[in-house]
Amino acid sequence: LQFGAAYELIRTISLMGGFQVEPGSETENFHPALGFTLARQQFRLGFAISNITHPLGMRQHYTLYWNF
């Protein structure tokens, strides 16, 4: 199960946040995620980190959007 939200700070910058709930062996595990996007003309670059509290380390996600 995943929940998230985005907030447009200014026209070119959006902030994102959320968390993922997954079943564990004894309880549910919560993994928060944070990110942002930068827009420039028809392109948008996104960066996010997820599984921030995971014992093996967090994941980094890079995304390039092209609005054509």
Side-chain angles (χ1 to χ4, degrees), residues 5 11 13 19-20 25 28 44 52 59 63 65:
R11 193 178 68 164
I13 299 174
F19 65 92
Q20 177 181 4
S25 60
E28 284 77 27
R44 184 176 289 261
I52 297 170
R59 296 178 183 161
T63 307
Y65 303 91

Side-chain angles (χ1 to χ4, degrees), residues 22-29:
E22 64 182 13
S25 60
E26 297 177 10
T27 63
E28 284 77 27
N29 297 322

Side-chain angles (χ1 to χ4, degrees), residues 1-12:
L1 179 63
Q2 297 177 353
F3 294 94
Y7 175 73
E8 188 173 301
L9 191 60
I10 57 176
R11 193 178 68 164
T12 57

Side-chain angles (χ1 to χ4, degrees), residues 6-16 34-40 43-48 63 65:
Y7 175 73
E8 188 173 301
L9 191 60
I10 57 176
R11 193 178 68 164
T12 57
I13 299 174
S14 295
L15 303 175
M16 301 175 292
L34 300 170
F36 66 91
T37 60
L38 299 172
R40 180 75 178 160
F43 296 99
R44 184 176 289 261
L45 178 64
F47 173 74
T63 307
Y65 303 91

